[in-house]
Amino acid sequence: MDRQQHPLESLLDEAIKCAKDGKLSVGDLLSAYGTRGFGPVIATLALITILIGAIPFLPMVIAAVILLMSVQLLFGKKQPWVPGAIAQRSIDVDHAKNVRDKSAKWLRRVDRLVKPRLEWAAGGVAQWFAAFGVSALALVMGAPPLEAIPFAVDVPALPILIFGIGLTARDGLFMLVGFAFSAIAAYLCWLWLSQPEGGSESASLVISMVA
């Protein structure tokens, strides 16, 4: 697949090619994306969470990795780094292929929309605020009670995915959409605290509208 024409759709293909022994690890993701920065890693991890996040403890592990990425971005690091123990964390490559197949059509559509634009919203101070937002969302996504609530982990994972796309494509419009969806995620979390059933129904509606 042409990475230039389909930069998002090709993300998981690149990662799967680096998988070893039937497993796709965090280290494989870093190897696949080389010097392309934090965006592809964050976007891929968020996408995996949305599509196969029902696997026990997976959202917690992914949230920890995303938090590590976003904190490095906050401190101005140019390339992502993870310690060896985290780099070895993995999922079955079949799960990754399932995510690729489920998301291909959607990512193909997104590829037609993204492009470098609104530089003021894609870098500098805006990127710092996006990293702060991703850090907060990752903390929410990794909270153990969220796994027990239907669609709950998808709510913070969705704006994280949008931020990841914005960072990958240097698309300020997607970054702004990420901020908007972060506000929605914050509202839904408030609903869960006050009305758990209402929060779950609202989350399901938001995810279905985007899908």
Side-chain angles (χ1 to χ4, degrees):
M1 184 178 296
D2 188 341
R3 196 176 86 181
Q4 299 300 321
Q5 294 181 357
H6 306 281
L8 299 176
E9 190 183 355
S10 66
L11 283 180
L12 276 169
D13 281 323
E14 294 174 50
I16 289 169
K17 288 178 182 177
C18 291
K20 304 177 185 69
D21 301 321
K23 297 286 186 179
L24 177 63
S25 69
V26 175
D28 293 332
L29 292 181
L30 297 185
S31 298
Y33 304 139
T35 59
R36 294 167 64 187
F38 294 88
V41 180
I42 291 173
T44 300
L45 291 173
L47 186 62
I48 289 172
T49 301
I50 291 170
L51 293 179
I52 60 170
I55 297 176
F57 304 111
L58 180 64
M60 294 175 60
V61 173
I62 290 180
V65 179
I66 291 175
L67 181 60
L68 181 59
M69 298 289 104
S70 59
V71 169
Q72 291 178 61
L73 196 55
L74 274 173
F75 283 92
K77 298 294 185 182
K78 300 300 181 184
Q79 301 300 328
W81 169 88
V82 295
I86 293 180
Q88 294 173 8
R89 295 286 183 175
S90 64
I91 61 171
D92 289 340
V93 74
D94 287 339
H95 286 313
K97 290 178 179 178
N98 187 36
V99 171
R100 177 196 61 192
D101 295 341
K102 286 183 176 180
S103 64
K105 185 177 180 180
W106 182 81
L107 289 177
R108 199 174 300 125
R109 293 174 181 171
V110 175
D111 271 329
R112 291 197 290 265
L113 298 175
V114 296
K115 60 182 178 180
R117 57 187 158 185
L118 300 179
E119 179 61 29
W120 61 270
V125 176
Q127 181 174 285
W128 189 92
F129 277 109
F132 181 84
V134 170
S135 298
L137 291 164
L139 287 172
V140 173
M141 192 173 83
L146 239 61
E147 288 193 34
I149 305 174
F151 301 103
V153 296
D154 294 351
V155 171
L158 181 57
I160 290 174
L161 171 60
I162 296 171
F163 277 132
I165 292 172
L167 290 168
T168 300
R170 302 291 296 174
D171 191 328
L173 180 59
F174 268 76
M175 298 285 276
L176 293 175
V177 173
F179 286 116
F181 270 82
S182 296
I184 294 172
Y187 172 70
L188 290 176
C189 288
W190 175 81
L191 274 184
W192 277 319
L193 291 175
S194 58
Q195 305 173 31
E197 291 184 1
S200 295
E201 292 174 359
S202 300
S204 177
L205 176 61
V206 170
I207 296 299
S208 63
M209 288 174 62
V210 174

